[in-house]
């Protein structure tokens, strides 16, 4: 299979429709089940965890964070910042706290990032908002022992864009120790009907630069679901190769028996492989 540029519109729509590749459920049912799973998981987390909800990091209505704090937040603690997916068009921080329980119980703070999805949010705006959320949280909590970015699908794209941030513009230097990118999607002019130049300047693979000594300290894990589209597998492999060629510490993990949706839903489980990867990354830091 060639790149998305070689596909017909129908082929491209199929490749970019992850619900059509699920091995578990019908394409409509799997989306409904995903929304239900992350919503119920977030409700459970908020009912049992110490939280700070709707914390503004900017002036727009969508620029808010939900913070899940460890039992004793007075000392230093690592922080996992989660950026939701939804094709840059739906879902929200309000259904993004489901990953918190197995991490918070290990003394790790979790922050769910809100951003303005399309059509309200332009892709440039989304990228800038996520960058500002990182700058805000490290300024808010001076005792953070390291930031770990986790983004799913479109959220993984936004997390990857953080790697190319010029932090001098924000007046901070976040100690980003790792990125976990399950089912990373790249933007395309077809996906959001974007002008080509907008899609290109917001494409992480086009922004890959040589890893500096400081950047080599940041570990990148690209995870892909077994039952995701060949195009998503190709994008993940291509991004992995680009980072590795540029000298980054990067690995690629194919998660068996998962699709685009349960690969992230299972982060609510302490024994899940990606949950254990996050915990291992933090313990090694």
């Amino acid at each position: 299979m060639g790149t998305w540029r070689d596909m017909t519109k129908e082929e491209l729509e199929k490749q970019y429709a992850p619900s059509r590749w699920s091995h578990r459920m019908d394409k409509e049912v799997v989306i409904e089940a995903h929304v239900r799973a992350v919503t119920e998981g977030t409700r459970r987390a908020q009912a049992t965890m110490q939280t700070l909800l709707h914390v503004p990091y900017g002036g727009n209505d969508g620029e808010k964070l939900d913070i899940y704090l460890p039992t004793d937040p007075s000392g230093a603690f690592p922080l996992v910042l989660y950026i939701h997916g939804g094709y840059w068009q739906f879902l929200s921080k309000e259904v993004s706290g489901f990953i918190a329980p197995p991490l918070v119980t290990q003394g790790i703070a979790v922050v769910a990032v809100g951003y303005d999805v399309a059509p309200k949010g332009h892709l440039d705006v989304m990228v800038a908002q996520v960058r500002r959320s990182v700058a805000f949280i490290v300024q808010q909590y001076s005792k953070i022992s390291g930031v770990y970015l986790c983004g799913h699908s479109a959220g993984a794209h936004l997390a990857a864009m953080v790697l190319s941030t010029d932090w001098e513009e924000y007046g901070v230097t976040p100690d980003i120790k790792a990125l976990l990118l399950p089912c990373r999607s790249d933007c395309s002019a077809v996906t959001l009907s974007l002008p080509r130049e907008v899609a290109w300047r917001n494409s992480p693979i086009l922004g890959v630069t040589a890893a500096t000594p400081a950047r080599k300290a940041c570990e990148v894990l690209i995870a892909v679901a077994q039952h995701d589209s060949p195009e998503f597998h190709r994008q993940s492999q291509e991004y992995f190769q680009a980072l590795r060629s540029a000298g980054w510490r990067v690995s690629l993990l194919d998660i068996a028996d998962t699709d685009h949706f349960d690969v992230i839903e299972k982060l609510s489980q302490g024994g899940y492989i990606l949950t254990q990867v996050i915990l291992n990354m933090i313990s090694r830091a």
Side-chain angles (χ1 to χ4, degrees), residues 88-229:
W88 304 275
Q89 297 172 75
F90 73 107
L91 296 181
S92 67
K93 71 175 180 59
E94 280 75 18
V95 296
S96 299
F98 63 97
I99 76 167
L103 302 178
V104 170
T105 54
Q106 298 300 315
I108 303 162
V110 173
V111 175
V113 178
Y115 58 92
D116 288 318
V117 297
K120 182 178 181 180
H122 186 281
L123 192 58
D124 288 329
V125 171
M126 298 179 205
V127 171
Q129 287 176 329
V130 169
R131 288 169 170 167
R132 283 203 303 275
S133 75
V134 175
F136 171 85
I137 204 69
V138 298
Q139 291 169 329
Q140 187 77 7
Y141 293 100
S142 60
K143 293 184 178 180
I144 292 174
S145 60
V147 176
Y148 300 79
L149 298 181
C150 177
H152 174 238
S153 192
H157 159 263
L158 296 173
M161 288 299 296
V162 172
L163 287 183
S164 60
T165 304
D166 180 1
W167 290 112
E168 289 187 5
E169 296 180 12
Y170 297 85
V172 297
T173 306
D175 183 15
I176 300 175
K177 293 188 178 295
L179 271 76
L180 176 67
L181 309 176
C183 297
R184 193 193 73 83
S185 298
D186 210 340
C187 59
S188 73
V190 177
T191 306
L192 289 177
S193 300
L194 294 170
R196 182 174 295 180
E197 63 273 14
V198 175
W200 282 4
R201 71 169 170 259
N202 289 296
S203 176
I205 194 168
L206 297 180
V208 170
T209 57
T212 63
R215 285 177 170 177
K216 285 182 180 179
C218 176
E219 185 176 357
V220 181
L221 172 67
I222 303 166
V224 60
Q226 177 185 354
H227 299 283
D228 219 329
S229 74

Side-chain angles (χ1 to χ4, degrees), residues 12-43:
L12 188 60
E13 288 177 349
K14 181 178 180 181
Q15 291 294 324
Y16 273 78
S19 60
R20 298 179 64 174
W21 300 88
S22 174
H23 64 303
R24 300 177 298 131
M25 304 176 188
D26 177 81
K27 62 182 181 180
E28 285 82 17
V29 175
V30 73
I31 294 176
E32 294 173 358
H34 176 64
V35 173
R36 184 167 57 251
V38 296
T39 300
E40 293 175 354
T42 300
R43 287 175 181 166

